[in-house]
Amino acid sequence: MLFAPQEEARGELSADKQPVELARFLTTFIQGLRVVGRAGLGRAFVEDAVDTALRSLD
């Protein structure tokens, strides 16, 4: 599993976040980045997407 209970206990994972849902999101997002890379949408597009994904983890 991507996240363990210890991360939540140490405050590294908010109590309102579901580890399985986050793992699915990150897996899908990373696969999507591969598609975007192959489509040649550019670095700015990827950086915007990564920024948004990272904000969703806060």
Side-chain angles (χ1 to χ4, degrees), residues 1 5 7 10-12 22 31 33 35 39-40 45-47 53 57:
M1 183 177 290
E7 282 77 14
R10 289 191 305 248
E12 295 173 6
L22 286 174
Q31 291 173 343
L33 285 178
V35 172
F45 184 95
V46 172
E47 288 177 353
L57 298 176

Side-chain angles (χ1 to χ4, degrees), residues 27-46:
T27 299
T28 303
F29 179 74
I30 291 167
Q31 291 173 343
L33 285 178
R34 294 182 67 199
V35 172
V36 167
R38 290 183 182 171
L41 294 176
R43 184 180 181 115
F45 184 95
V46 172

